[in-house]
Amino acid sequence: IHPAIELGAHAPASLTAYFTGKIFEPGGNFSVDYQSVKYYPYTRYIGIKIPEGTSYGGMLELGRRYPVSVATVDASGKPVDMDSLQVKVYKAQWRWWWEQNDQGADFVNSKYFHLVSSQNLSTRGGKGSFVLSVPSPQWGRYYVRVSDSASGFAAGSFVYFEWPSGESSNLAGMPGGATRLNFTAEKQVYKVGETIRLFIPGSGEGN
């Protein structure tokens, strides 16, 4: 038996195929067998690791340069060299309301992403790196994507850039009519039953 399995246009990094076989005997009895098989639709794969920031929630700081590690392997997990990688950084625009998804909560009024930088990258021995930096005052949520034009595989991750500790961002003019409330707690860890004190800065315009 040679089944034809359609994967579609956007297969994930790896797939697990589950097969169920059933054989009937002349008397009516039957036997059932189950088997799973790993399938890798791409010949080469990419992994990226963005460093965690020191700000609250692991956010990265504006103006700082962060090294992003890139690993490239074949379908068996062995390191391979790649010369056709493209690194793109997009800024995710603010949206109207919240929706929970695999990447966390985010605004979903629009799926618009604005390309802010692009560069080529090569790896040797299955390893490479590039510098990720966002200048002030362009705070917000960004999507970092590394793609391989030869195999068609791409890896990406969301990251948030915020002002360094002690500095406040200018929240005026946020598109879409949304308002972002920026506040800090008196301390980072509280016990059950404690009263939480929050410090909310003024708007600077008297409203």
Side-chain angles (χ1 to χ4, degrees):
I1 300 176
H2 301 281
I5 302 175
E6 298 292 336
L7 297 179
H10 302 286
S14 64
L15 301 171
T16 301
Y18 295 93
F19 297 93
T20 301
K22 183 179 292 186
I23 301 177
F24 289 88
E25 300 177 4
N29 294 328
F30 62 89
S31 299
V32 180
D33 182 56
Y34 301 93
Q35 186 177 6
S36 62
V37 178
K38 276 286 187 181
Y39 178 73
Y40 299 92
Y42 302 96
T43 57
R44 308 192 301 186
Y45 292 84
I46 306 167
I48 62 175
K49 182 179 181 181
I50 300 177
E52 185 173 348
T54 56
S55 298
Y56 180 77
M59 294 185 294
L60 305 184
E61 294 183 357
L62 294 170
R64 290 190 58 180
R65 294 167 60 87
Y66 294 92
V68 179
S69 301
V70 178
T72 53
V73 298
D74 60 17
S76 62
K78 296 181 180 179
V80 294
D81 297 343
M82 291 190 186
D83 294 312
S84 57
L85 299 181
Q86 189 171 41
V87 179
K88 291 186 177 183
V89 179
Y90 299 86
K91 185 173 184 180
Q93 301 298 320
W94 290 99
R95 285 97 169 173
W96 279 84
W97 61 85
W98 296 91
E99 178 185 65
Q100 185 71 27
N101 60 22
D102 293 338
Q103 296 291 344
D106 68 322
F107 288 105
V108 294
N109 182 53
S110 171
K111 295 299 182 182
Y112 180 70
F113 288 83
H114 175 65
L115 178 65
V116 295
S117 67
S118 178
Q119 61 178 295
N120 296 323
L121 177 68
S122 298
T123 61
R124 291 295 177 264
K127 295 181 180 180
S129 65
F130 63 93
V131 174
L132 177 63
S133 181
V134 173
S136 174
Q138 302 300 319
W139 58 271
R141 192 166 179 251
Y142 289 80
Y143 183 67
V144 182
R145 186 177 189 267
V146 182
S147 59
D148 174 30
S149 59
S151 66
F153 182 77
S157 178
F158 281 100
V159 63
Y160 197 94
F161 276 88
E162 182 59 286
W163 294 74
S165 301
E167 298 185 25
S168 60
S169 57
N170 180 13
L171 304 179
M174 180 177 291
T179 299
R180 180 174 178 270
L181 183 62
N182 192 27
F183 59 86
T184 57
E186 183 180 21
K187 56 184 181 179
Q188 292 187 354
V189 179
Y190 286 88
K191 295 180 181 180
V192 177
E194 281 190 275
T195 300
I196 300 177
R197 295 184 61 191
L198 298 178
F199 300 92
I200 303 176
S203 64
E205 299 180 357
N207 53 15

